[in-house]
C-alpha cells in the first residue's frame, strides 16, 4: 500500500516537474525591442517559440500571433452550471427531499432562491476560470528551468526550443544579435 | 493634450521597482514597524481572551438580552464586511473602468478586503453562541432526515454570500500575487526564501502565452467580483430588510448599505495607507498624495450618499403615515440612544465635508483623523440600525434598553487587533504593491508622447 502511494506521489511530482527543452535564448533589456524581435522572428518562419517577460507586454500577442484566450467560455459554461445547480439544489432540498412549510410560503419559493443561485454562479465561474488558468499554464510546476533570474524583474527574453519549426542555431543567434539582443545563449527552458 | 501626473514618483526603472517592493519582504523590518506589530498583537490578545471568555461562559457576558438580541457581534460583523467592499471596489471595479492609478494600491486594498472579511466572518460564528455547531449553517447531508437549511432565510443567503465573497476575494488576491512571488523567488539568495516563494509562485514562468490567459482570467475575476461585491452587502442588508421591524423593513437598504460600505471601506483604506506610509517611508513613491487625494474625494462623495439615505429615512417615515415608522425615527434622533444617532450624523455627514478643500485632502494628519471618525461613524451607523430599531418596537410592554459591557468593548477593539496583526504581517511577508502591474504604468506622466493607448 505504502509503495503504491509512493508511486502515485512520484508520478505526480514527475508530472509537475517539467525540466524543459534545450534551445536558444535571446535576452533584451528593452521591452519594445523584444516585441519587435518577436515579430521579426515570427516573420523569419520560426514557429513555436516563446517570449518571457516580467509583466504582460503590450502588442506581444499580435507580434507572436497568439489568439485571444478561450477561458471566458469556460467561465460562461461553469457559471451557468453553478446557476443551474443552485436552482436544482434549492428546489430538491426545499420541495422534494424534505418539504417543510415555513411561513406559508410555497415549497418552491423561487424569489428566495435567487440569491443562492447568484452566489453559486459567481463561485463556479471564478473557481473554474482560475482552475483552467492553472491547467493551461501547467501550474503548479516544481523548479521550472530559469533562463535568467532577471526575467521576472527587468529583462525580457525570446526562447526557441530545438524542436521548433525553423530552428537553426547559428541563424537564430545571428538574428537575435542583429535585433539588438544584450545576451544570446544556449539554454534550457 | 492633457498633462498626466505621474502615477509612480521618482522616475523608477523596472529594476528599481522590483528592488523597492521586494526589499520590504527581504529586509528585517524597522523598530517602528515592530512596535506597531506589538501594539496590534496586544489588542489581538485581548480579542482572544474576551472571545474565549464569551465562548466559555456564554453570550450573556455581552450586552445582548431581551429585546436587543442583536448587538455588538452583528454590528461589528456588518462593519467589517463593509470595510472589505472598498478593497474590491479598488481592485475590481476600478480595474474594469481602466483607472490606472489603482495599480499601486490595489494589492493592499485587496489585502484589506481579505482580512476584513476574515475578521467579520468570526462574529456571526461567535454570535450563534455555540461556535462548535456553526457548521449547521451549511447544507450538508446529515442523519437528521436529512434536515436541510432553510433557503428562504436571509441568514442562509448571507452564509452563501459571505463565504463566496471570501473565497473569490482570496483567489483574486492570490492570482494577482503569483507573478510577484516568482519575482521574489528569482531574486532570493536565501534557500528557504527561494523555496517558500517558489512554492507560492506555483512555478510561474511568465511566458507570453501564460500572460495572455492570465490577463484574461484577471479581467474575468474582476468582472465576477464586481456584481459579487454589490450582492454581498445587499444580502447583508436583507438580514434586516426582509424582517418586518420598523427601521429594518426598508427597500432603500441594499443601495444604502452598499454606499455605506464603500464609504467606510475608503475610510479604513485611508487609515491603513497613512499607517503604511508612516511605517515604511519608501512606499511614498508608490502610494502618492494623488492616490490619497482621490480616495478622499470618494469619501466626500459617498459620505453625502449616506447622508442622503439618513434624510430619506425621515422622509419615508413621514410620508408612509405609519405610526411605528414615525416613532422609530424620532426615537433614534431623540430617544435614550440618541448619542449614537448624532455620532453617526456628525462623523459621516458633517466631518467629511472638510474634504471640499484641496489642502485638507492632501494633509496626512487631517485625513488620518477624518478616517478614524469615518470608522467610528460607520460603526455607529450599524449600531443605530440594529439596536435602536430593536429596543423599542411595536408594543411598549416589549421595550427595553441596551447597555454595553466590558466584553462588548473587548470584542470590538480586539477585532482591530486581529485585523491589524494580519495586515502588518502581510506588509512584511507578501509583496505589498503589485510589481507586475505597476511596471507597465510606471512611465505614465514622464514620457512626452504618452497618450494612454487604453
Amino acid at each position: 500500500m505504502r509503495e503504491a502511494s509512493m508511486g502515485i506521489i512520484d508520478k505526480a511530482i514527475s508530472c509537475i516537474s517539467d525540466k524543459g527543452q534545450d534551445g536558444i535564448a535571446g535576452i533584451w533589456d528593452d521591452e519594445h525591442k523584444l516585441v519587435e524581435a518577436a515579430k521579426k522572428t515570427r516573420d523569419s518562419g520560426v514557429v513555436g517559440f516563446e517570449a518571457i517577460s516580467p509583466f504582460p507586454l503590450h502588442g506581444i500577442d499580435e507580434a507572436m500571433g497568439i489568439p485571444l484566450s478561450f477561458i471566458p467560455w469556460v467561465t460562461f459554461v461553469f457559471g451557468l452550471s453553478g446557476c443551474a445547480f443552485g436552482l436544482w439544489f434549492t428546489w430538491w432540498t426545499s420541495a422534494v427531499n424534505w418539504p417543510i412549510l415555513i411561513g406559508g410560503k410555497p415549497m418552491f419559493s423561487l424569489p428566495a432562491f435567487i440569491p443562492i443561485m447568484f452566489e453559486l454562479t459567481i463561485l463556479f465561474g471564478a473557481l473554474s476560470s482560475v482552475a483552467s488558468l492553472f491547467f493551461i499554464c501547467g501550474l503548479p510546476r516544481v523548479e521550472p528551468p530559469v533562463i535568467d533570474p532577471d526575467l521576472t524583474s527587468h529583462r525580457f527574453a525570446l526562447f526557441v526550443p530545438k524542436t521548433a519549426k525553423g530552428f537553426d542555431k547559428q541563424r537564430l543567434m545571428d538574428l537575435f544579435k542583429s535585433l539588438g539582443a544584450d545576451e544570446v545563449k544556449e539554454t534550457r527552458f | 493634450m492633457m498633462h498626466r501626473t505621474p502615477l509612480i514618483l521618482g522616475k523608477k526603472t523596472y529594476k528599481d521597482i522590483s528592488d523597492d517592493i521586494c526589499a520590504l519582504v527581504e529586509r528585517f523590518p524597522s523598530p517602528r514597524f515592530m512596535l506597531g506589530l506589538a501594539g496590534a498583537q496586544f489588542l489581538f490578545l485581548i480579542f482572544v481572551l474576551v472571545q474565549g471568555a464569551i465562548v466559555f461562559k456564554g453570550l450573556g457576558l455581552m450586552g445582548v438580552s431581551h429585546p436587543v438580541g442583536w448587538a455588538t457581534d452583528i454590528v461589528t460583523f456588518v462593519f467589517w464586511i463593509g470595510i472589505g467592499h472598498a478593497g474590491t471596489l479598488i481592485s475590481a471595479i476600478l480595474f474594469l473602468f481602466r483607472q490606472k492609478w489603482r495599480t499601486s494600491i490595489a494589492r493592499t486594498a485587496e489585502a484589506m478586503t481579505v482580512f476584513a472579511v476574515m475578521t467579520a466572518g468570526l462574529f456571526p460564528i461567535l454570535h450563534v453562541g455555540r461556535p462548535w455547531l456553526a457548521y449547521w449553517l451549511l447544507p450538508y447531508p446529515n442523519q437528521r432526515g436529512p434536515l436541510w437549511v432553510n433557503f428562504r432565510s436571509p441568514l442562509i443567503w448571507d452564509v452563501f454570500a459571505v463565504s463566496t465573497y471570501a473565497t473569490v476575494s482570496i483567489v483574486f488576491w492570490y492570482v494577482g500575487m503569483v507573478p510577484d512571488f516568482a519575482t521574489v523567488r528569482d531574486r532570493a539568495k536565501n534557500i528557504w526564501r527561494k523555496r517558500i516563494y517558489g512554492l507560492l509562485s506555483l512555478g510561474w514562468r511568465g511566458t507570453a502565452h501564460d500572460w495572455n490567459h492570465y490577463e484574461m482570467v484577471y479581467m474575468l475575476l474582476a468582472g465576477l467580483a464586481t456584481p459579487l461585491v454589490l450582492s454581498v452587502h445587499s444580502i447583508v442588508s436583507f438580514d434586516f430588510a426582509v424582517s418586518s421591524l420598523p427601521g429594518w423593513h426598508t427597500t432603500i437598504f441594499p443601495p444604502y448599505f452598499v454606499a455605506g460600505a464603500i464609504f467606510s471601506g475608503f475610510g479604513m483604506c485611508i487609515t491603513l495607507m497613512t499607517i503604511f506610509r508612516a511605517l515604511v517611508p519608501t512606499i511614498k513613491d508608490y502610494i502618492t498624495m494623488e492616490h490619497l487625494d482621490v480616495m478622499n474625494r470618494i469619501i466626500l462623495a459617498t459620505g453625502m450618499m449616506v447622508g442622503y439615505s439618513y434624510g430619506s429615512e425621515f422622509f419615508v417615515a413621514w410620508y408612509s403615515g405609519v405610526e411605528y415608522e414615525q416613532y422609530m425615527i424620532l426615537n433614534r434622533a431623540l430617544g435614550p440612544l440618541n448619542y449614537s444617532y448624532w455620532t453617526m450624523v456628525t462623523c459621516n455627514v458633517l466631518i467629511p465635508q472638510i474634504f471640499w478643500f484641496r489642502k485638507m485632502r492632501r494633509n496626512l494628519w487631517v485625513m488620518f483623523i477624518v478616517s478614524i471618525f469615518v470608522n467610528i461613524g460607520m460603526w455607529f451607523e450599524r449600531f443605530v440600525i440594529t439596536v435602536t430599531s430593536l429596543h423599542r418596537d411595536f408594543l411598549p410592554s416589549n421595550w427595553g434598553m441596551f447597555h454595553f459591557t466590558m466584553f462588548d468593548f473587548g470584542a470590538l477593539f480586539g477585532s482591530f487587533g486581529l485585523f491589524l496583526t494580519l495586515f502588518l504581517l502581510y506588509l512584511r511577508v507578501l509583496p505589498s504593491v503589485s510589481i507586475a502591474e505597476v511596471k507597465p504604468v510606471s512611465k505614465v506622466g514622464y514620457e512626452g508622447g504618452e497618450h494612454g493607448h487604453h
Side-chain angles (χ1 to χ4, degrees):
Chain A
M1 189 61 212
R2 169 176 262 182
E3 269 173 21
S5 67
M6 283 293 283
I8 290 167
I9 291 168
D10 287 343
K11 229 178 199 173
I13 287 178
S14 72
C15 191
I16 58 178
S17 51
D18 174 11
K19 289 297 161 230
Q21 301 166 281
D22 289 317
I24 299 291
I27 302 177
W28 282 260
D29 287 343
D30 183 328
E31 73 265 33
H32 303 295
K33 281 189 190 158
L34 176 99
V35 174
E36 194 52 36
K39 202 166 148 41
K40 294 272 164 59
T41 309
R42 185 183 173 217
D43 290 347
S44 77
V46 180
V47 180
F49 66 101
E50 197 49 277
I52 301 103
S53 62
F55 52 84
L57 293 175
H58 193 72
I60 193 78
D61 293 350
E62 292 80 358
M64 288 176 63
I66 300 174
L68 199 64
S69 168
F70 61 86
I71 294 181
W73 290 104
V74 178
T75 316
F76 180 69
V77 169
F78 275 86
L80 276 187
S81 331
C83 186
F85 175 74
L87 177 64
W88 171 80
F89 189 66
T90 47
W91 163 77
W92 182 75
T93 52
S94 311
V96 178
N97 191 241
W98 189 345
I100 299 173
L101 188 63
I102 295 167
K105 289 168 192 144
M107 294 303 173
F108 179 58
S109 326
L110 181 61
F113 299 158
I114 285 175
I116 308 288
M117 291 157 60
F118 178 83
E119 299 303 333
L120 291 177
T121 307
I122 302 282
L123 185 67
F124 279 45
L127 294 182
S128 65
S129 315
V130 173
S132 40
L133 173 72
F134 286 1
F135 181 75
I136 295 166
C137 298
L139 306 180
R141 186 187 282 119
V142 175
E143 292 182 349
V146 172
I147 298 175
D148 186 314
D150 288 340
L151 291 181
T152 50
S153 173
H154 54 273
R155 302 187 87 191
F156 308 85
L158 286 183
F159 175 77
V160 188
K162 272 185 174 159
T163 52
K165 198 181 143 202
F167 181 87
D168 177 339
K169 191 172 135 194
Q170 201 50 49
R171 192 177 68 88
L172 280 169
M173 287 180 119
D174 293 343
L175 178 69
F176 286 168
K177 272 180 197 147
S178 72
L179 291 167
D182 297 285
E183 192 184 335
V184 179
K185 64 179 181 183
E186 282 184 75
T187 181
R188 266 184 100 77
F189 186 66
Chain B
M1 166 152 296
M2 235 171 77
H3 170 69
R4 299 190 67 165
T5 38
L7 297 175
I8 311 295
L9 302 179
K11 285 209 169 192
K12 307 271 184 198
T13 64
Y14 296 142
K15 185 166 185 335
D16 292 340
I17 294 173
S18 307
D19 288 346
D20 283 355
I21 310 302
C22 294
L24 306 182
V25 177
E26 291 162 352
R27 259 202 324 251
F28 197 77
S30 65
R32 209 197 276 194
F33 183 92
M34 295 308 281
L35 205 67
L37 184 62
Q41 285 183 314
F42 177 70
L43 274 178
F44 179 40
L45 195 63
I46 294 179
F47 185 69
V48 172
L49 292 175
V50 165
Q51 293 292 9
I54 292 170
V55 169
F56 185 74
K57 200 78 176 153
L59 278 180
L61 291 178
M62 301 174 96
V64 282
S65 181
H66 184 83
V68 183
W70 279 11
T72 307
D73 273 344
I74 301 299
V75 172
T76 314
F77 159 70
V78 181
F79 171 78
W80 280 116
I81 284 283
I83 298 289
H85 283 42
T88 314
L89 187 111
I90 291 172
S91 59
I93 300 182
L94 294 183
F95 176 79
L96 295 181
F97 283 119
R98 304 216 184 270
Q99 296 293 309
K100 286 185 180 174
W101 62 270
R102 77 175 257 296
T103 46
S104 59
I105 56 166
R107 173 72 45 78
T108 299
E110 187 75 15
M112 177 180 85
T113 297
V114 170
F115 302 141
V117 173
M118 284 165 71
T119 311
L122 281 179
F123 280 92
I125 292 173
L126 291 162
H127 180 77
V128 298
R130 296 180 204 171
W132 53 93
L133 297 179
Y135 67 93
W136 285 6
L137 288 162
L138 300 172
Y140 64 98
N142 55 61
Q143 291 165 314
R144 302 183 292 272
L147 178 62
W148 298 102
V149 293
N150 176 16
F151 283 113
R152 299 175 196 89
S153 163
L155 302 181
I156 291 301
W157 305 344
D158 223 12
V159 171
F160 276 74
V162 173
S163 52
T164 302
Y165 186 47
T167 312
V168 173
S169 297
I170 290 170
V171 166
F172 190 32
W173 189 49
Y174 183 74
V175 167
M177 279 191 289
V178 164
D180 292 354
F181 286 139
T183 307
V184 180
R185 170 199 69 196
D186 288 346
R187 288 165 54 92
K189 305 264 185 299
N190 176 313
I191 179 73
W192 282 104
R193 185 183 300 142
K194 200 174 198 68
R195 279 188 188 157
I196 291 168
Y197 288 92
L199 192 69
L200 288 169
S201 76
L202 304 174
W204 173 261
R205 301 194 302 173
T207 66
H209 288 87
D210 289 351
W211 281 120
N212 176 36
H213 295 295
Y214 178 89
E215 282 200 287
M216 181 58 85
V217 166
Y218 200 79
M219 191 172 76
L220 286 168
L221 288 178
L224 290 166
T226 299
L228 175 64
V229 71
L230 299 180
S231 85
V232 171
H233 230 53
S234 299
I235 289 176
V236 168
S237 84
F238 292 160
D239 291 346
F240 302 94
V242 173
S243 76
S244 55
L245 190 75
W248 286 9
H249 188 62
T250 320
T251 47
I252 198 183
F253 263 18
Y256 169 23
F257 269 54
V258 172
I262 289 165
F263 175 63
S264 69
F266 271 91
M268 183 61 86
C269 213
I270 287 285
T271 312
L272 295 179
M273 295 298 176
T274 43
I275 293 176
F276 192 7
R277 279 175 60 114
L279 294 181
V280 187
T282 47
I283 214 69
K284 287 176 187 168
D285 288 339
Y286 297 89
I287 300 169
T288 67
M289 216 31 113
E290 297 297 327
H291 292 113
L292 301 173
D293 187 341
V294 174
M295 287 197 276
N296 287 335
R297 284 185 224 182
I298 297 176
I299 288 181
L300 177 63
T302 46
M304 288 190 291
M305 283 183 211
V306 294
Y308 173 81
S309 305
Y310 302 157
S312 86
E313 284 191 318
F314 267 98
F315 172 77
V316 169
W318 167 73
Y319 193 66
S320 68
V322 178
E323 167 189 7
Y324 304 107
E325 201 69 31
Q326 289 168 352
Y327 179 75
M328 175 277 298
I329 200 79
L330 287 177
N331 182 48
R332 275 186 187 175
L334 306 171
L337 291 168
N338 63 4
Y339 68 88
S340 61
Y341 189 82
W342 295 110
T343 308
M344 165 186 99
V345 171
T346 312
C347 293
N348 294 351
V349 187
L350 300 181
I351 291 177
Q353 300 302 321
I354 199 171
F355 285 150
W356 284 105
F357 302 100
R358 183 182 153 92
K359 236 191 166 136
M360 298 293 138
R361 287 199 305 268
R362 291 173 160 263
N363 183 314
L364 285 167
W365 277 107
V366 169
M367 73 176 86
F368 181 73
I369 292 167
V370 171
S371 75
I372 298 292
F373 275 120
V374 169
N375 290 332
I376 296 171
M378 282 310 292
W379 190 85
F380 271 107
E381 181 194 296
R382 280 63 176 255
F383 179 85
V384 166
I385 292 169
T386 311
V387 175
T388 62
S389 309
L390 280 170
H391 94 117
R392 289 183 173 177
D393 61 358
F394 302 97
L395 282 175
S397 60
N398 193 37
W399 288 3
M401 188 54 192
F402 176 77
H403 301 283
F404 285 105
T405 72
M406 290 309 286
F407 289 89
D408 286 293
F409 294 125
L412 170 60
F413 292 118
S415 70
F416 278 85
L418 169 60
F419 176 76
L420 289 173
T421 302
L422 289 169
F423 184 75
L424 291 175
L425 289 176
Y426 147 79
L427 293 186
R428 173 70 183 86
V429 299
L430 302 179
S432 50
V433 172
S434 177
I435 305 171
E437 268 192 284
V438 158
K439 281 174 186 163
V441 301
S442 63
K443 295 208 168 88
V444 172
Y446 291 114
E447 288 174 342
E450 173 63 46
H451 42 268
H453 22 242
H454 292 297

